Every structure is written in structure tokens, then in C-alpha cells.
Amino acid sequence: VYQKHRDKVLVGDEVRQIEFLIELFCLRRDEMYNITFSKHIAGGSIEPMILIPLAENCLKHCDFDLNDKAFARMNITSTNRQLLFETENTFDPAQHKNATGGVGLLNIRERLQLVYGNRAKLTTWSEQHIYKVKLEIEWKT
């Protein structure tokens, strides 16, 4: 949040913030959550507060409290050409059937369009009680 005023932040800095977010989330209960976060970072800078809300959604909307097989997975790869950030989490469709919201994703889509134009693509979908997000950003060359 304090770096929000900067135009870009290092991908590695955003990754560290996601790691802190996961640690904080895990303090909610004594038992371990099934959360994985894979990272392969070779540099790059990104608009601040794009990745963190996607990671928050992955954790927040996972059905950890209802499903003993629940999981949240995140993967980020950053090369000198592009960034790929993917999340997937189990969810209970009955819990989200009448849920309102979606402002966060809409905000991210609008910001991506403003900053990256056609060099960014955010895709979301669900299949068999798993919600998936895929963010692709091509760096300017």
C-alpha cells in the first residue's frame, strides 16, 4: 500500500508481499492450509496492486472451512519478455451463488487496459468446483 504511489514495483517485491499475505492468512487457524505458491522470477516491474488482490481472492474465496480437500495454488513466472500469474482454488458454488461483488476483478481489468492495453490479458473461469485466474502481461520491448 505504501508503494502504491510509485509507477511500477519490482515483481520480486510483489512476490514478497504475496508471501507475507499467505503467512498472515495461515495465522487464522492452527491446522495447516493446503496452499502452494511457486515462483520463477527473472526480473521485471509491474503496476502496483495488480497481483496482490488476485492472491487475496484466491485465499478469500477458497472453501477451506467447508472442504477437507480444499486447496489454493498460485504460480508466477516472470521473464525478460512477460509475466504469467496463475491462481486456482477450490470453492463451494452454493456459497457464491448469490454473492455480490466482483468490483476487484473489474478494477484490475480496467487498470490493466489503461496501463498495458492489448499487452495484458486477464482470464477467469471455473471448472468442477475450481476457480482459475490467469494473468498474462507482455513487457514493452
Side-chain angles (χ1 to χ4, degrees):
V1 170
Y2 294 111
Q3 295 180 9
K4 202 165 96 168
H5 65 281
R6 293 177 30 196
D7 287 344
K8 302 276 191 241
V9 294
L10 296 174
V11 173
D13 290 345
E14 288 289 274
V15 164
R16 278 188 285 289
Q17 293 303 316
I18 293 170
E19 290 171 332
F20 293 144
L21 174 68
I22 292 169
E23 288 178 25
L24 184 61
F25 184 85
C26 288
L27 293 175
R28 293 179 55 202
R29 68 179 190 189
D30 292 333
E31 299 135 31
M32 294 292 293
Y33 288 103
N34 184 359
I35 300 172
T36 56
F37 183 34
S38 304
K39 45 212 169 288
H40 309 283
I41 307 300
S45 296
I46 188 170
E47 180 80 4
M49 295 302 291
I50 295 286
L51 303 179
I52 293 169
L54 296 174
E56 286 175 339
N57 282 350
C58 181
L59 298 172
K60 180 173 94 174
H61 295 295
C62 189
D63 58 350
F64 287 120
D65 295 332
L66 304 171
N67 178 359
D68 59 349
K69 292 184 169 98
F71 65 83
R73 297 181 188 134
M74 294 176 244
N75 180 56
I76 186 165
T77 303
S78 175
T79 68
N80 61 348
R81 298 184 65 186
Q82 72 172 2
L83 175 124
L84 174 64
F85 184 55
E86 298 173 290
T87 70
E88 62 179 26
N89 60 275
T90 55
F91 74 99
D92 180 359
Q95 295 292 96
H96 297 283
K97 197 178 239 184
N98 296 320
T100 58
V103 174
L105 282 177
L106 180 62
N107 181 28
I108 292 170
R109 286 183 200 283
E110 289 175 357
R111 290 180 59 218
L112 287 169
Q113 180 61 39
L114 287 170
V115 175
Y116 298 104
N118 63 357
R119 293 181 296 115
K121 182 179 180 184
L122 178 63
T123 310
T124 62
W125 71 100
S126 62
E127 55 188 46
Q128 298 180 343
H129 305 283
I130 299 174
Y131 190 79
K132 299 182 179 192
V133 174
K134 182 176 184 180
L135 171 63
E136 301 168 274
I137 299 174
E138 296 290 328
W139 304 136
K140 271 188 182 173
T141 54

